Amino acid sequence: MKATQRDFASVAQRAARECSVFFFCGPDEAGASAAADRILELIEDPGERVEMSGAQLRKDPILLGDEARSTSLFGDKRHIYVRANGDETLDAVGNLLLGSGEACPVVVVATSATDKSRTAKLLATRKDALVAMFWPPDLSAVAASVRTMAGAVGLKLGGDMAERIARAANLDVRLAKSEVEKLALYLDACPQAPVTADSDALDAIGASCEEDGFMPVVNAVLSGDARKVPAELHRMRELSLNPVGLLLAFERRAAQLARVAAALGPRGRMGDLDRGKKAALGIFFRDERDIATQLGTWRGLRLDRLTKRLTALHQSLLANSQAAELLLAQELTEIARFAARR
């Protein structure tokens, strides 16, 4: 079974009933992750989550099939969630499909993979698998998603409010969903008693996020601004910024740099892009200088290595939540030192 981001919503419920392997890919990692979460919401009883990385499965291709067909200590249901890069899970998924016996649901979010990758082609023609590819959304698409999410939790949002939330979340549907849920909680909204949200309510829950956002840290590190990095890391600790949320901001910027680099070609420059192309690539005026600076360092193989390093760091943070802040600070310092040398 194959889907695009346009028709994913219409096939998700059927796929959750009929499929056991889900492969979400494309340049919009946020959209792919949101789709994975949606599938797990629709599965009747997903049970315990077992997390794996693509690098782990590349080294041990048998592990996925063994784990999917094993049972927990108490016989509870489970599902496997894999974060991978490209075709790292190809052999593991192939072995899973060749095995016998009932397997638990397997959800793969594959950064840098497309629906033309070998893993996608392996799954696309099967009735028990779903392949869906996600492209970076535009503002209107995310605003529409925000209004849909708001309606589900009892919030009434105007178009301008939905767009404001979408912009504040940097077009990331996961962060937008978090803001909608906070807003609903703040207004005590529910589907049985809908509440209209206004800008004052959004200011009340979002003021600190707008003032103390992730992007100053992202820009200082990826631009190699050695003078600002210590202060930004200190601010991260002082404000207790969520380590995984901050890392997601780095992953989104890396994905954006990859899209911009692909649009420019090997010798292109930011000045070669017209206003319409910049808007399509999500380059806002306030970010243009930072993105241009970062492209000078993170391009080609260096950008590919950065993406893989961020993906590995994501797995480390999820596996070591108590030390997440320290691990993130150490890794960001190393990345900033590399960028400064360039």
Side-chain angles (χ1 to χ4, degrees):
M1 190 183 302
K2 198 171 181 180
T4 65
Q5 63 198 91
R6 179 175 298 178
D7 59 14
F8 170 74
S10 63
V11 304
Q13 197 155 15
R14 180 165 67 93
R17 291 195 309 268
E18 299 177 4
C19 300
S20 59
V21 182
F22 306 87
F23 187 79
F24 299 110
C25 57
D28 181 20
E29 191 270 342
S33 295
D37 292 340
R38 178 58 179 158
I39 285 292
L40 293 173
E41 289 173 0
L42 292 172
I43 292 176
E44 185 175 349
D45 182 12
E48 173 193 6
R49 171 177 294 195
V50 178
E51 297 198 356
M52 297 183 178
S53 69
Q56 181 182 9
L57 295 179
R58 184 179 58 191
K59 293 178 181 177
D60 186 0
I62 305 297
L63 179 62
L64 180 62
D66 288 347
E67 194 67 39
R69 291 185 171 85
S70 64
T71 57
S72 67
L73 181 62
F74 300 102
D76 299 327
K77 289 191 175 182
R78 50 168 40 187
H79 68 275
I80 297 176
Y81 193 104
V82 181
R83 286 192 175 274
N85 188 41
D87 267 325
E88 286 181 327
T89 60
L90 175 63
D91 293 337
V93 170
N95 288 327
L96 169 68
L97 299 177
L98 291 173
S100 58
E102 185 178 355
C104 71
V106 174
V107 177
V108 179
V109 177
T111 306
S112 301
T114 71
D115 57 358
K116 307 298 182 186
S117 64
R118 290 179 294 170
T119 310
K121 289 180 178 178
L122 177 67
L123 296 170
T125 58
R126 296 181 62 95
K127 294 181 180 180
D128 60 350
L130 171 67
V131 173
M133 182 169 174
F134 295 83
W135 294 95
D138 56 23
L139 178 61
S140 61
V142 178
S145 296
V146 168
R147 297 188 73 175
T148 300
M149 290 185 284
V153 294
L155 279 180
K156 297 179 181 178
L157 289 181
D160 56 339
M161 285 283 290
E163 285 195 4
R164 182 178 167 189
I165 292 174
R167 288 183 185 276
N170 199 24
L171 305 186
D172 187 323
V173 290
R174 291 169 299 183
L175 294 181
K177 182 179 181 182
S178 175
E179 291 303 296
V180 167
E181 290 171 348
K182 284 194 297 182
L183 192 57
L185 182 63
Y186 178 75
L187 293 173
D188 197 24
C190 66
Q192 294 74 29
V195 177
T196 299
D198 57 19
S199 57
D200 290 338
L202 187 56
D203 287 339
I205 69 156
S208 61
C209 292
E210 292 181 0
E211 180 181 355
D212 303 315
F214 297 145
M215 295 317 296
V217 189
V218 173
N219 288 327
V221 171
L222 295 184
S223 298
D225 194 335
R227 294 172 299 174
K228 292 183 179 179
V229 170
E232 288 299 332
L233 293 179
H234 178 73
R235 185 174 70 88
M236 177 185 78
R237 291 189 294 271
E238 288 292 310
L239 297 175
S240 299
L241 295 180
N242 181 273
V244 175
L246 178 55
L247 181 58
L248 286 172
F250 276 90
E251 292 175 347
R252 289 193 300 274
R253 174 53 60 86
Q256 185 181 28
L257 291 175
R259 295 195 301 272
V260 175
L264 290 174
R267 298 184 181 179
R269 297 186 178 184
M270 287 285 287
D272 299 335
L273 300 175
D274 59 28
R275 183 177 299 179
K277 189 64 175 177
K278 288 178 183 177
L281 291 168
I283 303 173
F284 301 111
F285 175 77
R286 66 180 183 274
D287 300 324
E288 188 170 339
R289 179 178 295 180
D290 292 314
I291 290 173
T293 299
Q294 291 156 22
L295 275 175
T297 299
W298 307 108
R299 214 161 178 170
L301 287 176
R302 291 176 190 165
L303 181 56
D304 184 54
R305 289 170 186 155
L306 173 66
T307 301
K308 291 179 180 178
R309 191 163 184 169
L310 293 175
T311 301
L313 178 58
H314 197 127
Q315 295 297 323
S316 296
L317 296 190
L318 293 175
N320 303 278
S321 57
Q322 292 184 340
E325 187 177 281
L326 177 60
L327 290 172
L328 181 62
Q330 290 175 336
E331 189 69 10
L332 294 185
T333 300
E334 290 298 317
I335 293 172
R337 286 173 179 167
F338 178 86
R341 292 197 298 269
R342 301 292 167 176

